[in-house]
Amino acid sequence: MNDPDLSGRTVLVTGSSTGIGREVLLATAARGAKTAVHYHTSADAARDVAATADERGAEATMTVQGDVTDPDSVDGLFSAVESELGPVDVLVNNVGDFAPAHWADLEFDTWNRVLETNLNGTYLCSKRALPAMREADDGRIVNVGYASSEKGLVSPKNFPYFVAKAGVLMFTRMLAADTSDDGITVNAVSPYVVENSAEFPEELPRDRPASFDDVVAPVLFFLDADSGYVSGENIEVDGGWLPETV
């Protein structure tokens, strides 16, 4: 487990030019996948990740640009991947803006961008990936959530992010049920604070943030061929964090 053979599999990780997305993509490259490095504006960073993916052992690599909140752009980026690498077998929905400010201080455009990148992006990319997965009777979708979203976690600070991530987890469960007869699994990985997080609380579980490896491990578990009966699940990577005690 956690060391799946991804040879011949086409992997698309949204927002994979930096951060968690980068590390997930490189982990799949190291296991022989054909990898599509997605970016919106970070073209140079995406090219660097693609070069590293080649070095790690990817069967093939490409970069692909697109705005995951725009249906036409999503269709275009999937078409580009399908043309060069083949149909997407593994989709990791990682893109999601973060706005650590009081809800009343957020500009409307920022409020919308947080909701759209986290929830609408996950919906649009999943919807576009599903026809080929259903035809193949095989596929893996992993969505990136946020720890304790299932508990209705809310705060006046960064409120749209919590709402969007709760929606992502609801969407994950719904899509798992909707694809249960199609050979597809849909799961979520939900970190709390990660080593590249924009903000750190005064106290952290286990006295440290999650490492990239901590987050990548459950993603690889969901991608393993032996995990084909695991769908609709959410693994929280939070070190045992209990927000109820805050």
Side-chain angles (χ1 to χ4, degrees), residues 137-153:
D137 197 31
D138 182 38
R140 295 285 193 271
I141 297 175
V142 180
N143 300 322
V144 176
Y146 182 73
S148 288
S149 291
E150 288 181 312
K151 300 180 178 70
L153 179 68

Side-chain angles (χ1 to χ4, degrees), residues 48-66:
D48 289 343
V49 176
T52 303
D54 283 333
E55 294 170 0
R56 298 280 177 91
E59 180 180 332
T61 303
M62 68 178 292
T63 62
V64 61
Q65 192 275 339

Side-chain angles (χ1 to χ4, degrees), residues 16-18 22 26 37-39 41-55 61-64:
S16 44
S17 61
T18 60
R22 176 185 187 274
L26 292 178
V37 183
H38 164 259
Y39 68 96
T41 58
S42 305
D44 290 342
R47 283 190 288 268
D48 289 343
V49 176
T52 303
D54 283 333
E55 294 170 0
T61 303
M62 68 178 292
T63 62
V64 61

